[in-house]
Amino acid sequence: MAAATDMLPIERPATNSRIFAHTRWDAVPVLAGLFHLAYFIGLFLLYPHAPLWIMLILGFIYSLMVNANINGIGHNFIHNPFFRSKILNRGFGVTQSMACCFSQTYYNAVHMQHHKGNSDRQDETGDTIDWLSIYRHGHDGEAESPWRYVFLSFFRDDVGAIRRELRKRGNGDLFWGNLELAAFGTTLFIMFLFNWRYVIFFAVPFWYLGHCFSYLNGYYRHYGANPDKPIAWGVSSYGKIYNWLFFYNGYHAEHHFRPKVHWTKMEKFRQSIADLQKQEGVRTIRRAHMLGFLDPDLPKRGQGVTALAAARAELHK
Protein backbone atom coordinates (compact mmCIF):
# COMPACT_ATOMS: atom_id res chain seq x y z
CA MET A 1 0.00 0.00 0.00
CA ALA A 2 2.92 2.36 0.71
CA ALA A 3 3.96 2.41 -2.95
CA ALA A 4 0.39 3.15 -4.02
CA THR A 5 -0.07 6.01 -1.60
CA ASP A 6 3.28 7.51 -2.56
CA MET A 7 1.99 7.86 -6.12
CA LEU A 8 -1.12 9.83 -5.18
CA PRO A 9 -1.18 13.13 -7.09
CA ILE A 10 -1.45 16.38 -5.14
CA GLU A 11 -2.89 19.39 -6.94
CA ARG A 12 -1.14 22.62 -6.00
CA PRO A 13 -2.87 25.97 -6.59
CA ALA A 14 -1.13 28.41 -8.90
CA THR A 15 -1.55 32.16 -9.29
CA ASN A 16 -0.05 35.03 -11.26
CA SER A 17 -0.45 37.32 -8.26
CA ARG A 18 2.64 39.33 -7.40
CA ILE A 19 1.64 39.33 -3.73
CA PHE A 20 0.24 35.92 -2.91
CA ALA A 21 2.34 32.79 -3.31
CA HIS A 22 -0.40 30.24 -3.99
CA THR A 23 -3.80 31.81 -4.54
CA ARG A 24 -5.55 35.12 -4.05
CA TRP A 25 -7.99 33.27 -1.78
CA ASP A 26 -5.27 33.51 0.88
CA ALA A 27 -6.37 37.13 1.25
CA VAL A 28 -9.26 35.73 3.32
CA PRO A 29 -7.13 34.23 6.14
CA VAL A 30 -4.82 37.26 6.00
CA LEU A 31 -7.73 39.65 6.56
CA ALA A 32 -9.14 37.36 9.25
CA GLY A 33 -5.78 37.43 11.05
CA LEU A 34 -5.58 41.21 10.89
CA PHE A 35 -9.16 41.48 12.12
CA HIS A 36 -8.20 39.31 15.09
CA LEU A 37 -5.41 41.73 15.97
CA ALA A 38 -7.76 44.71 15.64
CA TYR A 39 -10.30 42.93 17.86
CA PHE A 40 -7.64 42.31 20.52
CA ILE A 41 -6.65 45.99 20.57
CA GLY A 42 -10.31 47.01 20.49
CA LEU A 43 -11.00 44.99 23.65
CA PHE A 44 -8.38 47.02 25.49
CA LEU A 45 -9.86 50.32 24.33
CA LEU A 46 -13.42 49.24 25.14
CA TYR A 47 -12.70 47.76 28.58
CA PRO A 48 -13.03 50.99 30.65
CA HIS A 49 -16.33 51.92 28.99
CA ALA A 50 -18.38 48.73 28.53
CA PRO A 51 -20.42 46.84 31.17
CA LEU A 52 -18.76 43.75 32.62
CA TRP A 53 -21.27 41.32 31.11
CA ILE A 54 -20.55 42.64 27.62
CA MET A 55 -16.80 42.41 28.18
CA LEU A 56 -17.14 38.81 29.41
CA ILE A 57 -18.99 37.86 26.22
CA LEU A 58 -16.42 39.66 24.06
CA GLY A 59 -13.57 38.06 26.01
CA PHE A 60 -15.03 34.60 25.45
CA ILE A 61 -15.29 35.38 21.74
CA TYR A 62 -11.62 36.41 21.79
CA SER A 63 -10.75 33.00 23.28
CA LEU A 64 -12.65 31.26 20.48
CA MET A 65 -10.81 33.47 17.97
CA VAL A 66 -7.44 32.45 19.42
CA ASN A 67 -8.41 28.83 18.88
CA ALA A 68 -9.62 29.45 15.33
CA ASN A 69 -6.55 31.53 14.49
CA ILE A 70 -3.99 29.04 15.77
CA ASN A 71 -5.69 26.06 14.14
CA GLY A 72 -6.87 27.77 10.99
CA ILE A 73 -4.93 30.86 9.92
CA GLY A 74 -1.64 30.23 11.71
CA HIS A 75 -1.68 26.53 10.89
CA ASN A 76 -2.16 27.04 7.16
CA PHE A 77 0.41 29.83 7.20
CA ILE A 78 3.01 27.36 8.52
CA HIS A 79 2.51 24.85 5.73
CA ASN A 80 1.85 27.24 2.86
CA PRO A 81 3.13 30.77 3.68
CA PHE A 82 0.72 33.22 2.10
CA PHE A 83 3.06 35.71 0.44
CA ARG A 84 5.78 35.61 -2.18
CA SER A 85 7.78 38.18 -0.22
CA LYS A 86 9.75 36.86 2.76
CA ILE A 87 9.41 40.18 4.54
CA LEU A 88 5.61 40.13 4.14
CA ASN A 89 5.53 36.62 5.59
CA ARG A 90 7.71 37.72 8.49
CA GLY A 91 5.56 40.78 9.08
CA PHE A 92 2.37 38.76 9.06
CA GLY A 93 3.97 36.39 11.56
CA VAL A 94 4.51 39.35 13.90
CA THR A 95 0.84 40.40 13.63
CA GLN A 96 -0.21 36.79 14.33
CA SER A 97 2.00 36.72 17.40
CA MET A 98 0.51 39.92 18.77
CA ALA A 99 -3.07 38.76 18.17
CA CYS A 100 -2.63 35.33 19.82
CA CYS A 101 0.03 36.41 22.37
CA PHE A 102 2.57 33.82 21.34
CA SER A 103 5.30 33.46 18.72
CA GLN A 104 4.15 32.23 15.32
CA THR A 105 7.70 31.09 14.53
CA TYR A 106 8.03 29.17 17.80
CA TYR A 107 4.66 27.61 16.96
CA ASN A 108 6.14 26.64 13.59
CA ALA A 109 8.91 24.65 15.32
CA VAL A 110 6.49 22.90 17.66
CA HIS A 111 4.10 22.10 14.84
CA MET A 112 6.81 20.69 12.59
CA GLN A 113 7.82 18.41 15.47
CA HIS A 114 4.16 17.41 15.67
CA HIS A 115 4.35 16.24 12.05
CA LYS A 116 7.55 14.33 12.68
CA GLY A 117 5.82 12.22 15.31
CA ASN A 118 2.15 12.49 14.28
CA SER A 119 0.93 12.09 17.88
CA ASP A 120 3.07 8.98 18.31
CA ARG A 121 2.92 6.64 21.27
CA GLN A 122 5.74 6.48 23.80
CA ASP A 123 8.84 4.56 22.80
CA GLU A 124 10.74 2.14 25.03
CA THR A 125 12.22 5.08 26.98
CA GLY A 126 8.79 6.61 27.62
CA ASP A 127 9.37 9.52 25.21
CA THR A 128 7.57 10.68 22.06
CA ILE A 129 8.90 12.42 18.97
CA ASP A 130 5.86 14.69 18.87
CA TRP A 131 6.01 17.25 21.70
CA LEU A 132 2.22 17.63 21.44
CA SER A 133 1.39 13.93 21.36
CA ILE A 134 -1.68 13.01 23.39
CA TYR A 135 0.32 9.94 24.51
CA ARG A 136 3.37 11.89 25.76
CA HIS A 137 2.12 12.12 29.35
CA GLY A 138 -0.15 9.08 29.26
CA HIS A 139 0.36 5.69 30.90
CA ASP A 140 0.17 2.05 29.79
CA GLY A 141 -0.21 2.90 26.12
CA GLU A 142 -3.14 5.21 26.79
CA ALA A 143 -3.72 8.77 25.70
CA GLU A 144 -3.53 11.26 28.53
CA SER A 145 -6.77 12.39 30.15
CA PRO A 146 -8.28 15.22 28.07
CA TRP A 147 -8.63 17.33 31.23
CA ARG A 148 -4.91 17.18 31.96
CA TYR A 149 -3.95 17.64 28.30
CA VAL A 150 -6.20 20.67 27.82
CA PHE A 151 -5.34 22.57 30.99
CA LEU A 152 -1.67 21.64 31.46
CA SER A 153 -0.26 21.64 27.92
CA PHE A 154 -0.04 25.44 27.96
CA PHE A 155 2.68 25.18 30.63
CA ARG A 156 4.66 22.31 29.09
CA ASP A 157 6.44 23.98 26.18
CA ASP A 158 10.20 23.47 26.43
CA VAL A 159 11.38 26.89 25.28
CA GLY A 160 15.02 25.73 25.26
CA ALA A 161 14.23 22.81 22.94
CA ILE A 162 12.24 25.08 20.63
CA ARG A 163 15.09 27.59 20.46
CA ARG A 164 17.60 24.83 19.68
CA GLU A 165 15.37 23.65 16.85
CA LEU A 166 15.07 27.17 15.43
CA ARG A 167 18.82 27.73 15.76
CA LYS A 168 19.50 24.55 13.76
CA ARG A 169 17.53 25.97 10.85
CA GLY A 170 20.05 28.76 10.39
CA ASN A 171 17.59 30.92 8.43
CA GLY A 172 16.84 33.73 10.86
CA ASP A 173 13.90 31.94 12.48
CA LEU A 174 15.36 32.28 15.97
CA PHE A 175 15.76 36.05 15.53
CA TRP A 176 12.24 36.46 14.21
CA GLY A 177 10.79 34.19 16.88
CA ASN A 178 12.41 36.29 19.59
CA LEU A 179 11.21 39.44 17.84
CA GLU A 180 7.65 38.07 17.88
CA LEU A 181 7.95 37.30 21.59
CA ALA A 182 9.16 40.85 22.17
CA ALA A 183 6.31 42.26 20.06
CA PHE A 184 3.49 40.65 22.01
CA GLY A 185 5.34 41.09 25.32
CA THR A 186 5.74 44.81 24.65
CA THR A 187 2.08 45.07 23.67
CA LEU A 188 0.96 43.50 26.95
CA PHE A 189 3.41 45.64 28.92
CA ILE A 190 2.09 48.86 27.40
CA MET A 191 -1.46 47.73 28.12
CA PHE A 192 -0.39 46.93 31.69
CA LEU A 193 1.02 50.44 32.17
CA PHE A 194 -2.28 51.99 31.13
CA ASN A 195 -4.62 49.48 32.78
CA TRP A 196 -3.05 46.71 34.85
CA ARG A 197 -6.45 45.35 35.88
CA TYR A 198 -7.33 44.71 32.24
CA VAL A 199 -4.19 42.63 31.67
CA ILE A 200 -4.29 40.60 34.92
CA PHE A 201 -8.02 40.03 35.33
CA PHE A 202 -9.21 40.02 31.71
CA ALA A 203 -6.59 39.61 28.97
CA VAL A 204 -4.48 36.88 30.58
CA PRO A 205 -7.41 34.63 31.65
CA PHE A 206 -9.09 34.77 28.24
CA TRP A 207 -5.73 34.33 26.50
CA TYR A 208 -5.13 31.16 28.54
CA LEU A 209 -8.68 29.96 27.84
CA GLY A 210 -8.13 30.43 24.11
CA HIS A 211 -5.03 28.24 24.19
CA CYS A 212 -6.91 25.65 26.25
CA PHE A 213 -9.57 25.59 23.52
CA SER A 214 -6.76 25.03 21.01
CA TYR A 215 -5.43 22.04 22.97
CA LEU A 216 -8.97 20.68 23.26
CA ASN A 217 -9.19 20.91 19.49
CA GLY A 218 -5.85 19.18 19.12
CA TYR A 219 -6.74 16.35 21.50
CA TYR A 220 -9.77 15.22 19.52
CA ARG A 221 -8.00 15.63 16.19
CA HIS A 222 -5.92 12.62 17.26
CA TYR A 223 -7.86 10.72 19.91
CA GLY A 224 -8.91 7.43 18.32
CA ALA A 225 -6.56 7.82 15.37
CA ASN A 226 -4.03 5.14 14.46
CA PRO A 227 -0.43 6.33 15.01
CA ASP A 228 0.83 3.29 13.08
CA LYS A 229 -0.93 4.08 9.78
CA PRO A 230 0.03 7.29 7.94
CA ILE A 231 -3.35 7.60 6.25
CA ALA A 232 -5.06 7.31 9.65
CA TRP A 233 -2.74 9.57 11.69
CA GLY A 234 -5.54 12.07 12.27
CA VAL A 235 -9.28 12.19 12.92
CA SER A 236 -11.40 14.22 10.51
CA SER A 237 -14.58 16.25 10.88
CA TYR A 238 -16.32 17.51 7.75
CA GLY A 239 -18.84 20.09 8.94
CA LYS A 240 -18.96 22.90 6.39
CA ILE A 241 -19.26 25.88 8.75
CA TYR A 242 -16.54 24.47 11.00
CA ASN A 243 -14.18 24.02 8.06
CA TRP A 244 -14.94 27.44 6.62
CA LEU A 245 -14.05 29.04 9.96
CA PHE A 246 -10.93 26.89 10.45
CA PHE A 247 -9.82 26.94 6.80
CA TYR A 248 -10.33 23.19 6.36
CA ASN A 249 -8.23 22.03 9.29
CA GLY A 250 -11.16 19.75 10.09
CA TYR A 251 -9.82 17.52 7.30
CA HIS A 252 -7.14 16.42 9.70
CA ALA A 253 -6.49 12.84 8.62
CA GLU A 254 -6.03 14.19 5.10
CA HIS A 255 -3.74 16.93 6.36
CA HIS A 256 -1.42 14.58 8.25
CA PHE A 257 -1.33 12.24 5.29
CA ARG A 258 -0.27 15.07 2.95
CA PRO A 259 0.60 18.22 4.97
CA LYS A 260 1.32 20.45 1.96
CA VAL A 261 -2.16 20.22 0.45
CA HIS A 262 -3.49 23.78 0.33
CA TRP A 263 -6.70 24.50 2.22
CA THR A 264 -8.51 25.39 -1.01
CA LYS A 265 -7.73 21.91 -2.42
CA MET A 266 -8.56 19.85 0.66
CA GLU A 267 -12.08 18.80 -0.34
CA LYS A 268 -10.89 17.60 -3.74
CA PHE A 269 -7.97 15.73 -2.19
CA ARG A 270 -10.29 14.00 0.24
CA GLN A 271 -12.49 12.83 -2.63
CA SER A 272 -9.45 11.33 -4.33
CA ILE A 273 -8.54 9.15 -1.33
CA ALA A 274 -12.00 8.46 0.16
CA ASP A 275 -12.04 4.80 -0.88
CA LEU A 276 -8.56 4.22 0.51
CA GLN A 277 -9.53 5.93 3.78
CA LYS A 278 -12.57 3.70 4.13
CA GLN A 279 -10.46 0.64 3.45
CA GLU A 280 -7.91 1.64 6.12
CA GLY A 281 -10.49 2.60 8.74
CA VAL A 282 -9.79 6.33 8.99
CA ARG A 283 -11.84 7.69 11.88
CA THR A 284 -14.21 10.64 11.51
CA ILE A 285 -16.39 12.47 14.03
CA ARG A 286 -19.65 14.30 13.45
CA ARG A 287 -18.93 17.47 15.38
CA ALA A 288 -16.15 20.05 15.36
CA HIS A 289 -13.03 18.70 17.07
CA MET A 290 -13.46 21.07 19.99
CA LEU A 291 -16.73 19.24 20.73
CA GLY A 292 -15.23 15.82 20.06
CA PHE A 293 -16.05 14.67 23.60
CA LEU A 294 -19.75 14.70 22.59
CA ASP A 295 -19.22 12.25 19.73
CA PRO A 296 -21.43 9.16 20.30
CA ASP A 297 -18.80 6.80 18.86
CA LEU A 298 -15.92 8.07 20.99
CA PRO A 299 -13.56 5.19 21.89
CA LYS A 300 -13.35 4.55 25.62
CA ARG A 301 -10.12 5.17 27.44
CA GLY A 302 -8.68 2.11 29.15
CA GLN A 303 -8.29 0.11 25.97
CA GLY A 304 -4.96 1.54 24.90
CA VAL A 305 -2.82 -1.57 25.32
CA THR A 306 -5.38 -3.73 23.53
CA ALA A 307 -5.76 -1.20 20.73
CA LEU A 308 -1.99 -0.90 20.37
CA ALA A 309 -1.52 -4.65 20.10
CA ALA A 310 -4.36 -4.98 17.59
CA ALA A 311 -3.11 -2.09 15.45
CA ARG A 312 0.43 -3.42 15.30
CA ALA A 313 -0.78 -6.95 14.52
CA GLU A 314 -2.86 -5.55 11.65
CA LEU A 315 0.10 -3.52 10.42
CA HIS A 316 2.36 -6.56 10.23
CA LYS A 317 -0.10 -8.89 8.47
Side-chain angles (χ1 to χ4, degrees):
M1 188 190 76
T5 57
D6 287 343
M7 297 293 290
L8 285 171
I10 298 176
E11 183 181 354
R12 301 282 292 168
T15 180
N16 59 2
S17 170
R18 295 182 180 180
I19 298 175
F20 295 101
H22 307 285
T23 169
R24 290 180 174 86
W25 278 108
D26 279 335
V28 179
V30 168
L31 291 174
L34 295 177
F35 174 77
H36 186 196
L37 176 58
Y39 186 93
F40 176 56
I41 296 172
L43 285 178
F44 171 72
L45 298 176
L46 186 62
Y47 183 79
H49 310 290
L52 178 60
W53 67 271
I54 290 180
M55 291 306 303
L56 292 176
I57 293 172
L58 294 177
F60 185 76
I61 292 172
Y62 171 73
S63 297
L64 294 176
M65 291 172 71
V66 169
N67 176 28
N69 191 331
I70 292 173
N71 293 288
I73 302 164
H75 175 256
N76 279 291
F77 183 60
I78 286 173
H79 290 284
N80 293 293
F82 300 145
F83 302 104
R84 293 188 184 276
S85 165
K86 288 184 179 180
I87 194 64
L88 281 180
N89 283 323
R90 294 296 192 184
F92 185 70
V94 173
T95 66
Q96 282 287 98
S97 303
M98 294 169 64
C100 296
C101 294
F102 76 158
S103 165
Q104 174 72 27
T105 304
Y106 276 56
Y107 170 37
N108 184 307
V110 173
H111 190 71
M112 287 298 100
Q113 194 72 21
H114 174 56
H115 277 280
K116 290 177 183 178
N118 297 288
S119 204
D120 54 327
R121 294 186 175 94
Q122 295 174 357
D123 60 20
E124 58 277 4
T125 68
D127 199 8
T128 61
I129 297 171
D130 178 5
W131 297 333
L132 297 175
S133 175
I134 62 176
Y135 298 96
R136 188 172 181 85
H137 298 277
H139 301 284
D140 300 322
E142 286 294 335
E144 182 179 15
S145 157
W147 292 99
R148 288 178 57 85
Y149 187 85
V150 168
F151 292 109
L152 296 181
S153 290
F154 180 85
F155 306 103
R156 289 172 172 167
D157 279 341
D158 185 339
V159 177
I162 298 172
R163 284 177 175 165
R164 287 192 294 273
E165 182 62 31
L166 293 177
R167 188 177 290 112
K168 284 194 301 184
R169 296 181 179 184
N171 60 357
D173 274 3
L174 181 59
F175 169 80
W176 281 96
N178 290 335
L179 181 65
E180 290 164 356
L181 291 177
F184 89 75
T186 301
T187 301
L188 287 178
F189 180 67
I190 292 172
M191 289 179 173
F192 182 86
L193 292 179
F194 281 94
N195 193 334
W196 63 271
R197 291 182 179 83
Y198 169 82
V199 173
I200 294 177
F201 298 115
F202 186 86
V204 170
F206 282 114
W207 164 46
Y208 170 68
L209 181 62
H211 283 265
C212 288
F213 284 156
S214 178
Y215 287 116
L216 178 62
N217 219 328
Y219 188 91
Y220 288 103
R221 286 199 303 257
H222 291 280
Y223 183 74
N226 189 339
D228 296 312
K229 284 187 177 182
I231 198 170
W233 274 334
V235 175
S236 289
S237 177
Y238 301 121
K240 286 193 176 297
I241 295 177
Y242 168 50
N243 279 287
W244 290 341
L245 292 174
F246 281 71
F247 297 97
Y248 287 82
N249 197 21
Y251 288 62
H252 211 68
E254 294 80 0
H255 170 67
H256 270 268
F257 189 45
R258 291 293 184 270
K260 292 297 288 183
V261 174
H262 194 272
W263 63 272
T264 59
K265 301 295 182 181
M266 194 60 77
E267 276 189 297
K268 188 173 182 180
F269 177 65
R270 191 244 170 167
Q271 292 169 5
S272 72
I273 63 171
D275 290 341
L276 186 58
Q277 286 182 312
K278 186 175 181 180
Q279 174 187 328
E280 295 300 320
V282 173
R283 186 167 176 267
T284 62
I285 56 178
R286 302 177 189 178
R287 295 175 174 86
H289 289 103
M290 190 172 136
L291 301 175
F293 56 89
L294 297 175
D295 193 77
D297 301 319
L298 198 67
K300 292 183 179 179
R301 295 180 68 245
Q303 300 173 346
V305 175
T306 303
L308 174 61
R312 288 182 173 169
E314 179 68 22
L315 187 67
H316 290 96
K317 278 185 178 180

